[in-house]
Every structure is written in structure tokens, then in C-alpha cells.
Amino acid sequence: SEHAEIGGGNGDRRNYAWRIALRFGWRGLAVALIFVTVIGPPRDYLYAAVYPEWIAFAPGIVPAIAVAAAYFSMFGLGHAVMRLAAGPTQLVQPR
């Protein structure tokens, strides 16, 4: 169902950040953070255009900057939570 998709997706994203840091270190994490911050707002605006009953944005650049800031902070916070739960990535050996 669409509600399970919306509610269940955030845990995967936190795991992605941690796995990227595990595989590529802090540089990979920085690239992923920039990627998510840049791609997030256009993605949300596309969803708003296709499904206007789901989401709406005010006109102007300020909402886009706010969405980018939200993606940046949630991706960074998600990685911080995974690091607290699983420990530093250097201590985990990839399979």
C-alpha cells in the first residue's frame, strides 16, 4: 500500500548512508550528501506536478531551499543515528 511505502522508506535511507560511508569513507558520504541535497527538491517538485493532491509548494526559491535543507539534514542525521547504533564504519568489515 502507498502508506507502507511512505512510512517504511526512511530506515532504508539511513542504512544507505551508513553503507556508503562503509564502502567509500567520508568522501563517498560527502558526495552522497551533496547528491541527495541537489536531487531531492526536483524530485519532490516532480511528485507535486504529477500528484498535486499529495504535496504542494509555495512559489519562489525559498521552499526549494527548505526542501534541500531538509534532505541534507535528514540524510546527515540518519547517518549519525546509524553510526550511534552500529558504531563507526571502520569497525565493520564488508562481506
Side-chain angles (χ1 to χ4, degrees):
S1 104
E2 65 192 49
H3 299 291
E5 175 72 25
I6 292 169
N10 290 331
D12 292 341
R13 291 184 191 106
R14 283 185 282 276
N15 194 18
Y16 292 154
W18 188 78
R19 291 236 179 233
I20 289 168
L22 175 68
R23 177 73 172 104
F24 301 105
W26 69 268
R27 289 184 182 125
L29 187 61
V31 168
L33 186 60
I34 291 167
F35 178 79
V36 167
T37 302
V38 170
I39 295 301
R43 175 185 171 268
D44 284 359
Y45 276 83
L46 177 65
Y47 277 122
V50 175
Y51 304 106
E53 64 276 4
W54 287 7
I55 189 171
F57 293 103
I61 191 75
V62 174
I65 292 171
V67 171
Y71 272 94
F72 180 88
S73 61
M74 293 310 294
F75 193 84
L77 181 64
H79 175 68
V81 168
M82 283 299 295
R83 185 179 167 110
L84 285 173
T89 54
Q90 290 81 11
L91 297 178
V92 177
Q93 299 299 319
R95 293 184 199 192

